[in-house]
Amino acid sequence: MINLVFDETTKKFLAKIEYISGINVYRCFQCGRCSADCPSINMMDILPNQVLRFLQFGQVERVLSSKTIWICASCFTCTTRCPKGIDVAKILEAARQVNLRQNKDWLNINIFHDNLTEEEKEKIQKEKDINIIDGKRRAEFPTIALVSATRKLTA
Amino acid sequence: MLDFAYYPGCTLKTTAKHFELSALEVCKILNIGMSELPRWNCCGTVFSLSEDDLMHNLAPIRNLIRVEEMGKSEMVALCSMCYNTIKRANAFILADESRLKTINDFMYKESHKYEGSVKVLHLLEVLRDRIGFERIKKYVKKPLTGLKVAPYYGCALLRPEGAGIDEADNPHIMGDLLRALGAEVIEFTADRECCGSYHVVSKPELVYMRASNILDRVIEEGAEALVLSCPLCDFNLDDKQKDIIEKDTSRKPVPIFYFTQLMALAFGIEKEKLGFENHAISPTPLLKEKNLI
Ligand code: SF4
Ligand code: SF4
């Protein structure tokens, strides 16, 4: 039997994810169904089932810094298909929340970026792993799109 | 006569006006009372998935207080996302008495405390369960004969369990309605797929990918138009389709309808009231070809 020993930070974040989601990550038996049915995996860097696997092995940082948790749009396909009844979308939400609650956004619609050049914007986007939406683009969206995006992707 | 509290939501008052207008016309004909909440607020559009987060349930529950104040026990939504968010918030708050108490304590300035008596419904459920599709057939003056339509459900009408209005992996509620209107229904293989949702703001390439895939399947499987009930799906599949076609002009345009627009058309309501001019992909050529306008 493998005995996993986690450091304090790992323990803290893993407990946080389990607390926010209300899910015990060790219930996942790695069948891969969630990833097989997810419509957005080709834009993700780790698969939804790998999110569960990394958490089981205490690799919380790999999950928290992944693109996957932001790309997931909470479509609940995985949630309805998991044979163990795990609400996978909630795990991904909890990982987003851990970042958001530390003030890490993934979207910025702030007007102060409107005067930046394309190069300057590109630089900030890369450095901070954030998506900047300028005034020209902001105006194009219906309320439903802006409210849901900012609710999901900003602190 | 059926008499419901009606929650419109933000987008039905702006970019999806034609959804609201056509729905209210249809309800008038079917004798479904829809009294708009006298003072409503944004529902938040997405249900909070965090177990420890009561705060984001305040907005939906405040709307349900209004419903109780109106003396009504059932609230109808048209927008799939509003429906899903308010329905789930209601279930979340009622699952635990202490949640209900905390949320009521927080809204101490409300003269009425939420009692948890409200049932949240989507208009499609009302049409199926309270009117019945057989009865709807009797109101059809201009059957949609020859119009090949693909009903599209997306996420919020079907998932997760408990929030869905139909079988999550075998939905047919919208297809059954459209058949009652005389249309030829193509139940296509991408009908439950996510359109990319709010990533139209943050990761538009994801939405272009998802929307192209959904539209390809509509065409390949033999439908001429897609029918839905979500203003965000509509934006991604109609407005964004315009961009997709600009990049690839060989693509066949697929008009996108709200289910209520097609009901209204079949019920003989003048086309001027149905907002066909609000579409990014004009449905006029297709409707003219089928002699429907
Ligand atoms: S479907 Fe469920 S059990 Fe299977 S890998 Fe995904 S989370 Fe684990
Ligand atoms: S909820 Fe997220 S992870 Fe699950 S199938 Fe949808 S996009 Fe993929």
Side-chain angles (χ1 to χ4, degrees):
Chain A
M1 198 179 135
I2 317 168
N3 202 1
L4 295 170
V5 184
F6 298 155
D7 61 29
E8 287 311 310
T9 324
T10 304
K11 273 193 215 153
K12 188 180 103 190
F13 282 121
L14 191 53
K16 193 116 201 111
I17 288 176
E18 292 198 320
Y19 178 73
I20 296 174
S21 66
I23 294 162
N24 175 347
V25 297
Y26 294 98
R27 290 189 52 238
C28 163
F29 62 177
Q30 286 295 301
C31 68
R33 181 80 201 258
C34 49
S35 304
D37 290 347
C38 172
S40 298
I41 46 162
N42 57 351
M43 290 211 160
M44 292 176 170
D45 49 358
I46 54 176
L47 297 169
N49 74 297
Q50 288 179 307
V51 168
L52 271 297
R53 196 51 161 174
F54 285 139
L55 292 175
Q56 290 173 338
F57 281 93
Q59 304 211 20
V60 182
E61 194 38 47
R62 272 179 92 164
V63 171
L64 293 181
S65 61
S66 73
K67 284 204 180 356
T68 297
I69 59 172
W70 303 109
I71 289 294
C72 163
S74 303
C75 75
F76 302 106
T77 308
C78 50
T79 298
T80 55
R81 309 264 168 87
C82 171
K84 296 281 280 176
I86 296 171
D87 195 337
V88 187
K90 269 193 174 172
I91 293 278
L92 292 153
E93 174 92 348
R96 275 190 297 273
Q97 281 295 322
V98 168
N99 279 313
L100 295 171
R101 291 178 192 191
Q102 296 176 85
N103 260 350
K104 158 123 187 47
D105 294 341
W106 200 65
L107 171 71
N108 193 309
I109 55 170
N110 199 311
I111 195 165
F112 299 118
H113 289 112
D114 288 7
N115 298 325
L116 298 181
T117 65
E118 283 307 315
E119 290 77 47
E120 285 167 327
K121 247 187 274 174
E122 200 45 48
K123 198 165 158 258
I124 301 177
Q125 304 208 94
K126 278 232 166 68
E127 267 170 20
K128 293 198 173 164
D129 182 27
I130 201 165
N131 297 290
I132 294 173
I133 313 301
D134 59 22
K136 210 171 102 238
R137 289 212 38 229
R138 260 196 320 270
E140 136 194 18
F141 300 114
T143 1
I144 193 167
L146 278 178
V147 176
S148 49
T150 45
R151 279 271 280 106
K152 286 293 219 182
L153 307 172
T154 65
Chain B
M1 181 181 154
L2 294 168
D3 194 12
F4 299 103
Y6 160 56
Y7 177 81
C10 317
T11 309
L12 266 75
K13 297 292 179 188
T14 51
T15 48
K17 256 189 219 142
H18 48 306
F19 187 11
E20 175 174 62
L21 287 178
S22 56
L24 294 180
E25 288 289 338
V26 163
C27 288
K28 227 185 280 163
I29 291 185
L30 293 173
N31 247 325
I32 303 173
M34 295 274 269
S35 322
E36 183 169 331
L37 270 58
R39 178 191 145 213
W40 54 265
N41 52 266
C42 172
C43 68
T45 69
V46 285
F47 172 64
S48 167
L49 297 170
S50 307
E51 288 290 308
D52 62 346
D53 175 17
L54 276 180
M55 193 168 56
H56 287 103
N57 291 292
L58 281 172
I61 299 299
R62 209 185 278 283
N63 288 311
L64 298 181
I65 291 180
R66 302 279 91 78
V67 178
E68 284 185 348
E69 282 175 345
M70 291 165 82
K72 301 225 182 317
S73 58
E74 292 176 304
M75 189 202 87
V76 174
L78 302 174
C79 164
S80 308
M81 284 177 88
C82 297
Y83 156 77
N84 188 290
T85 303
I86 304 178
K87 172 137 180 177
R88 294 194 74 183
N90 197 26
F92 179 74
I93 292 304
L94 298 180
D96 179 342
E97 254 175 57
S98 68
R99 288 181 192 152
L100 180 62
K101 186 180 177 323
T102 311
I103 221 161
N104 270 327
D105 287 349
F106 188 89
M107 294 189 273
Y108 70 99
K109 281 279 187 190
E110 292 283 357
S111 54
H112 177 85
K113 298 245 168 283
Y114 185 50
E115 291 164 7
S117 67
V118 180
K119 206 169 162 209
V120 180
L121 299 168
H122 188 271
L123 182 62
L124 279 167
E125 290 176 283
V126 172
L127 298 173
R128 176 191 59 196
D129 306 332
R130 308 294 271 279
I131 304 284
F133 296 145
E134 275 308 307
R135 228 170 98 203
I136 286 179
K137 275 187 194 163
K138 299 200 183 97
Y139 293 88
V140 174
K141 288 198 181 128
K142 201 183 335 162
L144 307 178
T145 317
L147 189 66
K148 295 188 184 120
V149 290
Y152 171 75
Y153 299 89
C155 311
L157 281 183
L158 300 175
R159 295 185 289 270
E161 218 188 318
I165 62 168
D166 203 358
E167 294 169 65
D169 276 322
N170 181 31
H172 44 83
I173 182 169
M174 219 187 308
D176 293 343
L177 169 67
L178 294 165
R179 268 185 287 270
L181 304 177
E184 188 176 327
V185 175
I186 313 276
E187 258 134 7
F188 77 126
T189 49
D191 60 352
R192 295 149 296 152
E193 266 182 27
C194 176
C195 69
S197 188
Y198 53 82
H199 277 312
V200 70
V201 181
S202 38
K203 264 273 168 267
E205 50 291 21
L206 188 146
V207 167
Y208 287 131
M209 172 186 88
R210 305 250 29 96
S212 314
N213 178 55
I214 292 164
L215 295 166
D216 281 347
R217 297 226 233 144
V218 170
I219 297 166
E220 279 164 24
E221 295 176 35
E224 299 158 317
L226 179 146
V227 188
L228 43 65
S229 99
C230 173
L232 186 48
C233 297
D234 182 69
F235 183 70
N236 289 350
L237 293 168
D238 186 31
D239 293 64
K240 294 291 115 183
Q241 183 182 165
K242 216 174 163 188
D243 300 355
I244 295 171
I245 291 179
E246 258 164 39
K247 274 186 216 123
D248 175 5
T249 47
S250 68
R251 289 188 74 100
K252 195 173 159 216
V254 178
I256 311 293
F257 293 103
Y258 287 108
F259 67 95
T260 49
Q261 286 179 295
L262 290 184
M263 288 183 80
L265 194 64
F267 287 180
I269 294 166
E270 316 84 274
K271 68 173 195 305
E272 287 68 29
K273 286 188 177 166
L274 305 182
F276 292 137
E277 67 288 350
N278 286 349
H279 294 224
I281 304 294
S282 172
T284 310
L286 176 66
L287 294 175
K288 277 210 173 118
E289 183 197 315
K290 305 283 170 182
N291 283 323
L292 291 168
I293 52 171

